[in-house]
Amino acid sequence: MSRTSLPSRSADNPPPQTLREYALIADGERGALIGPHGDIAWMCLPRWDSDAVFSTLIGGPGHYALTPLGRYVWGGYYENGTLVRRSRWVTENGIVECREALALPADPHRAVLLRRLHAVDGEARLVVDLAPAAGFGADRSRLPHRDEDGTWSARTGNLRWRWSGVSEAPPHPVRTPRRADGRTDPPPG
C-alpha cells in the first residue's frame, strides 16, 4: 500500500502529481487514472482513443474528485485479481475508503464509473467536485440540472453525463474554523 502525506486543499483542479501516485481502473473499452487526492485525473470518453473528459493529469480543467477535508494520509490497494481500486485516507477525524471501478457496460459507447465511499472509522467529511470537460477541457459542462430522483445530469461536448449519489448534502462543504493554536471549534448549530 502506497502512502503519501498530503496537506489540506480544495477540490478545484487538483494539482498534477508524479505518475507513480496514480492508480488505473479500466473496463476494456476505456481507462481512468485516480490521483492521491481522490481525483479522476485522466479519462477519455467514450473510448481509449477519444478526447479526455478528465484531464488534470496534464493540467487541464476536467476532473471528478472525492477529497477528504483537512489533513490526510493517502494510500490504497487493488482487490486481489481485479482492477477494483480501494483508495484509503486516514484523516484527522477517522478513516475513509472509496471503492472504485469502471463497470463493463453492455454498450461500448457508455461508461459506468463506480465510486462508493465508506467511513471505516470516525467521521467522513469530503468534498465532491464533478466537472467533466470534453475535448481536453475545451468544452465544459453546460446547464447541469437535478432531476426529481436526485440524479444530476448535463452535457459536455457530444457527451451526456449523469451522476447519482447522496440524496441530501449541503452544496458546499461545511468548514470548521481553525484557531491560531490549531484546534477547532465545534461546528455551529
Side-chain angles (χ1 to χ4, degrees), residues 50-140:
S50 301
D51 288 353
V53 173
F54 302 128
S55 59
T56 57
L57 183 70
I58 60 171
H63 64 275
Y64 175 21
L66 303 174
T67 307
L69 286 173
R71 294 181 55 82
Y72 55 89
V73 176
W74 171 82
Y77 60 94
Y78 289 98
E79 293 180 4
N80 286 336
T82 73
L83 281 178
V84 175
R85 176 73 177 173
R86 293 239 184 191
S87 294
R88 184 177 179 104
W89 301 280
V90 178
T91 71
E92 297 167 318
N93 300 316
I95 300 171
V96 182
E97 279 190 357
C98 186
R99 189 169 189 248
E100 302 165 299
L102 276 168
L104 184 60
D107 180 353
H109 300 288
R110 176 173 297 189
V112 180
L113 176 60
L114 303 169
R115 303 185 90 183
R116 184 174 187 162
L117 289 167
H118 175 68
V120 176
D121 182 39
E123 185 179 84
R125 298 181 108 196
L126 292 102
V127 174
V128 177
D129 188 9
L130 176 59
F136 297 99
D139 192 355
R140 296 182 187 225

Side-chain angles (χ1 to χ4, degrees), residues 33-48:
L33 292 177
I34 304 168
H37 296 291
D39 55 308
I40 303 293
W42 185 259
M43 186 174 180
C44 296
L45 288 174
R47 299 187 342 237
W48 291 98

Side-chain angles (χ1 to χ4, degrees), residues 11-14 52-56 59-63 129-144 153-161:
D12 296 336
N13 286 340
V53 173
F54 302 128
S55 59
T56 57
H63 64 275
D129 188 9
L130 176 59
F136 297 99
D139 192 355
R140 296 182 187 225
S141 292
R142 5 182 229 284
L143 303 174
S153 60
R155 295 194 68 81
T156 177
N158 293 329
L159 304 172
R160 182 175 149 251
W161 61 262

